[in-house]
């Protein structure tokens, strides 16, 4: 069993390159490895510190971020699966935190995350070199190759400059659908029209998968209420318990280029943009 497998399987070993007796513990919520040190006493291995609480002082963290995630899943999945799953997991965490902040609806969170993530992961790569004294040169080089592959892959797949297929978020696509559907001849049911819209416009979610009718429909009804604040059908939602905020006019401005082929839809959207601007001011 090589050193990386001993880390992955959390084996207690004295066969590390630095001759220490240690065990690596993976923390799945923090995505890091801590090291527990042992010593011989009366022909028995004993932990240097008791671990009822695996604190980070007595059990220091020495591997973080993608390197830790890679070592935990290496051999279970292929490289692309590990990379995609890690990036998307971190993106979801970022969005969940930032979505709660004022003004998040006007930000491109995916693009922000990409640059934020690159910076932090490069720091984690440097931090994780603390593992090097425990492993041999071949394993050090292998980890380096995987981390370089990680940055190269996400640059090609997730860089905002390269993600041309995902032009808008699902929420913004629901604004486009709202105006185009209001200006259309209303052929077929709304469900049929929405499903056709998803397919024709390649409306994908943050994972790059085609969104569902249920999700787009949910976003559509939220958007509709935020645009039509003076609509009697929206008044019921404007209670103190669940106040309805007006849609930021910048969001309508951003989708106007997608309405240029439909003059009526474009004009209605632009009028709503001006109305919401006046309302907010």
């Amino acid at each position: 069993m090589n050193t990386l497998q001993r880390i992955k399987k959390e084996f207690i070993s004295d066969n590390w390159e630095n001759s220490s007796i240690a065990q690596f513990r993976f923390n799945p919520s923090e995505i890091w490895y801590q090291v527990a040190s042992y010593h011989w006493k009366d022909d028995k291995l004993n932990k240097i510190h008791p671990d009822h609480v695996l604190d980070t002082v007595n059990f220091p963290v020495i591997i973080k971020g993608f390197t830790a995630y890679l070592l935990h899943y290496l051999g279970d999945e292929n490289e692309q699966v590990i990379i995609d799953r890690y990036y998307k997991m971190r993106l979801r965490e970022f969005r969940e935190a930032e979505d709660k902040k004022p003004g998040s609806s006007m930000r491109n969170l995916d693009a922000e995350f990409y640059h934020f993530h690159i910076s932090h992961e490069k720091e984690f790569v440097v931090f994780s070199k603390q593992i090097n004294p425990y492993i041999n040169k071949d394993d050090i080089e292998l980890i380096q190759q995987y981390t370089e592959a990680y940055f190269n892959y996400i640059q090609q797949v997730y860089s905002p400059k390269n993600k041309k297929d995902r032009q808008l978020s699902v929420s913004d696509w629901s604004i486009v659908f709202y105006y185009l559907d209001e200006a259309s001849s209303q052929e077929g049911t709304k469900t049929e029209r929405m499903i056709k819209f998803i397919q024709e416009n390649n409306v994908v979610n943050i994972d790059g998968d085609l969104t569902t009718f249920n999700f787009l429909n949910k976003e559509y009804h939220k958007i509709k209420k935020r645009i039509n604040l003076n609509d009697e059908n929206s008044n019921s939602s404007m209670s103190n318990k669940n106040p309805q905020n007006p849609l930021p006019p910048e969001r309508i401005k951003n989708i106007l280029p997608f309405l240029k082929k439909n003059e009526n839809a474009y004009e209605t959207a632009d009028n709503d943009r001006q109305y919401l601007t006046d309302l907010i001011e």
Side-chain angles (χ1 to χ4, degrees):
M1 181 180 295
N2 65 34
T3 52
L4 298 187
Q5 289 173 322
R6 291 200 299 275
I7 294 172
K8 172 183 171 62
K9 296 183 180 296
E10 303 188 4
F11 276 26
I12 303 170
S13 175
D14 61 358
N15 198 24
W16 305 108
E17 289 294 307
N18 59 5
S19 300
S20 64
I21 307 172
Q23 175 192 32
F24 290 87
R25 303 278 195 88
F26 182 69
N27 185 317
S29 60
E30 300 292 344
I31 316 297
W32 66 34
Y33 272 99
Q34 294 171 255
V35 62
S37 297
Y38 289 74
H39 65 98
W40 288 104
K41 183 179 181 182
D42 300 327
D43 296 326
K44 292 183 179 179
L45 271 179
N46 292 277
K47 289 190 188 74
I48 292 178
H49 300 285
D51 68 346
H52 354 290
V53 178
L54 208 60
D55 63 89
T56 57
V57 176
N58 296 320
F59 302 90
V61 177
I62 64 172
I63 316 173
K64 282 185 178 181
F66 176 71
T67 305
Y69 195 82
L70 168 73
L71 293 180
H72 186 67
Y73 290 102
L74 191 61
D76 295 343
E77 306 280 3
N78 66 44
E79 178 187 67
Q80 183 177 347
V81 170
I82 293 173
I83 290 175
D84 278 328
R85 194 166 58 195
Y86 180 73
Y87 187 88
K88 292 172 183 177
M89 176 186 67
R90 291 303 200 190
L91 174 58
R92 282 192 293 270
E93 291 171 351
F94 180 82
R95 289 189 64 91
E96 285 171 5
E98 296 301 312
D99 273 339
K100 299 172 184 176
K101 297 180 180 179
S104 62
S105 60
M106 293 179 280
R107 294 161 55 193
N108 186 339
L109 295 180
D110 288 10
E112 284 184 32
F113 170 75
Y114 174 79
H115 299 292
F116 167 88
H117 183 69
I118 291 286
S119 174
H120 277 68
E121 283 299 321
K122 287 185 175 179
E123 291 177 7
F124 291 158
V125 167
V126 174
F127 178 92
S128 299
K129 287 183 179 181
Q130 294 180 77
I131 188 63
N132 290 358
Y134 292 85
I135 62 180
N136 60 45
K137 290 182 179 179
D138 289 342
D139 288 332
I140 292 173
E141 185 177 349
L142 183 63
I143 290 174
Q144 183 178 344
Q145 290 172 350
Y146 271 115
T147 54
E148 287 176 355
Y150 180 75
F151 290 118
N152 289 334
Y153 179 85
I154 64 174
Q155 192 278 329
Q156 293 177 23
V157 177
Y158 295 106
S159 170
K161 294 180 181 178
N162 296 332
K163 287 180 71 63
K164 295 179 181 177
D165 290 340
R166 188 170 184 265
Q167 298 168 300
L168 298 175
S169 67
V170 176
S171 182
D172 283 344
W173 274 120
S174 73
I175 306 174
V176 177
F177 175 80
Y178 168 76
Y179 285 110
L180 289 178
D181 196 63
E182 290 292 311
S184 73
S185 57
Q186 307 292 319
E187 295 180 3
T189 65
K190 187 174 287 288
T191 300
E192 292 169 340
R193 297 196 302 272
M194 197 169 285
I195 291 173
K196 183 180 179 181
F197 178 83
I198 292 170
Q199 295 170 343
E200 289 183 346
N201 293 280
N202 190 37
V203 181
V204 297
N205 58 28
I206 62 172
D207 293 334
D209 302 320
L210 210 62
T211 193
T212 63
F213 160 76
N214 286 338
F215 189 73
L216 183 64
N217 189 46
K218 178 182 176 182
E219 293 300 308
Y220 163 80
H221 284 291
K222 288 195 294 187
I223 288 295
K224 184 177 180 180
K225 288 179 180 178
R226 295 183 71 185
I227 293 173
N228 298 292
L229 295 180
N230 59 345
D231 192 326
E232 289 181 359
N233 295 325
S234 298
N235 288 338
S236 60
S237 66
M238 296 195 51
S239 65
N240 291 328
K241 283 187 176 180
N242 185 25
Q244 197 72 23
N245 297 321
L247 187 71
E250 290 85 356
R251 291 189 62 187
I252 296 180
K253 181 180 178 181
N254 290 339
I255 61 91
L256 286 177
F258 296 86
L259 303 178
K260 284 184 176 179
K261 292 183 179 179
N262 189 312
E263 186 177 343
N264 290 336
Y266 186 95
E267 184 178 349
T268 301
D270 199 38
N271 288 339
D272 284 346
R273 178 194 62 78
Q274 187 58 56
Y275 163 73
L276 289 167
T277 300
D278 295 340
L279 184 67
I280 293 172
E281 290 178 351

